[in-house]
Amino acid sequence: MGILEGKKGLILGTANDKSIAWGVTQACHREGAELGFNYLGEALEKRVRPLAESVDAKFIEPMDVGDDASMDAFFAKVAERWGKLDFIVHSIAFANKDALKNRFSNTSREDFQLALNISAYSFVAVAGRAAALMQNGGSMVTMTYLGAVRAVPNYHVMGVAKAALESSTRYLAQDLGPDGIRVNAVSAGPIRTLAASAVGDFRNLMAKSARGSMLKRNVSQEEVGNTAAYLLSDLASGVTGEVHYVDSGFHIGAGDPGAE
Ligand code: NAD
């Protein structure tokens, strides 16, 4: 019997089969969960629908987390279809490419607000709507990165957004804890995905992360997915407000002092 048997959960943020959300999906499906999905726009629907159907999902609906009406419509359909929820996975981020390319001190107000809105506020907005459907408690997991707590080259405003996301994780854990809802973040090491392609010199970041890590390699979507599945399951019933690193131990080291 899988650790998520009998649970219904939403996977938010699948773009394609390279997405971290897809790694989480595979682990949750293997562990017996019934899954629902969102997609952003028609172009992504073409990719997400076949992936979701391959794990027997019946709930596949559009949602733009930058739009309250779109979120309300999505969660109204969740309520109609399932009536309850056991978990959500928030695997969503966005920043303007220019904001990651230009000097950090030149970040515009618009780019700052956009990155924080889509990458951090959206977790709070999703959590509130999901919590209303978690009458028997539940679990929420979001995806973060080391750039929240260290100045990582080229990560810029996304690091500020991840700091807000990690802090939001703690405040959500405090707010929703009395309702039996746990809220955690997984801090993944660098993985080649669509979103990652916006980060300048990502190839070098991956090489440095592997060299500076304890395991001397990078992590996979599957490894992040397995950790998320554990946090979503009752095996982690005493864990909330945590930032759990899945980065081959890079964050405990001194980086790669031998790097250029
Ligand atoms: P990805 O491009 O596959 O996923 C990002 C998702 O965000 C996409 O599905 C996209 O549709 C969605 N999204 C963007 N704007 C949205 C909006 N307005 N409404 C709804 N959805 C929206 O890339 P990924 O790397 O799998 O990213 C998933 C999460 O993992 C992000 O939070 C990212 O910051 C985080 N993360 C990634 C890495 C990495 O190295 N790839 C490392 C640590 C954390």
Side-chain angles (χ1 to χ4, degrees):
M1 179 152 154
I3 60 174
L4 295 174
E5 207 77 49
K7 293 192 190 290
K8 288 178 165 54
L10 297 173
I11 307 279
L12 307 175
T14 310
N16 54 41
D17 65 358
K18 303 283 182 294
S19 294
I20 290 176
W22 182 241
V24 180
T25 297
Q26 288 172 301
C28 291
H29 177 61
R30 184 192 68 222
E31 296 300 333
E34 185 178 346
L35 300 174
F37 291 80
N38 86 308
Y39 58 85
L40 178 65
E42 278 173 28
L44 285 183
E45 180 182 8
K46 289 196 189 77
R47 289 178 185 259
V48 175
R49 193 167 284 282
L51 287 172
E53 284 172 353
S54 76
V55 293
D56 305 324
K58 307 272 183 312
F59 187 90
I60 309 162
E61 297 288 342
M63 178 171 68
D64 177 350
V65 298
D67 176 1
D68 283 337
S70 168
M71 299 186 75
D72 288 340
F74 180 85
F75 277 93
K77 286 179 202 156
V78 177
E80 197 181 293
R81 162 84 57 145
W82 282 347
K84 64 158 249 185
L85 259 184
D86 297 301
F87 67 81
I88 60 162
V89 177
H90 171 276
S91 188
I92 290 173
F94 186 79
N96 260 340
K97 229 174 170 167
D98 280 350
L100 302 182
K101 225 168 47 200
N102 299 336
R103 291 186 63 166
F104 177 64
S105 53
N106 287 341
T107 308
S108 70
R109 189 183 302 276
E110 289 72 27
D111 285 349
F112 192 96
Q113 284 174 342
L114 178 65
L116 270 91
N117 184 17
I118 303 301
S119 315
Y121 174 69
S122 69
F123 186 41
V124 180
V126 158
R129 287 167 172 84
L133 297 172
M134 292 179 167
Q135 297 91 353
N136 304 318
S139 179
M140 306 185 179
V141 167
T142 188
M143 295 297 156
T144 186
Y145 177 61
L146 184 65
V149 291
R150 305 253 193 97
V152 174
N154 301 315
Y155 205 60
H156 297 185
V157 72
M158 190 51 81
V160 181
K162 291 302 189 193
L165 179 69
E166 292 185 7
S167 181
S168 299
T169 300
R170 289 184 284 273
Y171 281 101
L172 285 169
Q174 181 182 55
D175 185 24
L176 302 175
D179 302 324
I181 300 171
R182 299 180 295 102
V183 187
N184 292 289
V186 171
S187 185
I191 297 176
R192 212 174 294 286
T193 63
L194 202 61
S197 65
V199 179
D201 212 6
F202 193 71
R203 181 196 294 263
N204 190 29
L205 180 68
M206 284 200 76
K208 277 187 179 172
S209 297
R211 280 201 303 269
S213 75
M214 304 300 116
L215 297 176
K216 299 294 169 203
R217 64 169 178 83
N218 283 310
V219 296
S220 66
Q221 277 93 335
E222 288 68 29
E223 289 175 310
V224 176
N226 285 337
T227 300
Y230 147 73
L231 287 170
L232 295 170
S233 81
D234 295 342
L235 289 179
S237 56
V239 182
T240 195
E242 194 64 35
V243 177
H244 189 323
Y245 285 83
V246 182
D247 66 346
S248 297
F250 180 85
H251 73 286
I252 65 158
D256 179 12
E260 82 318 330

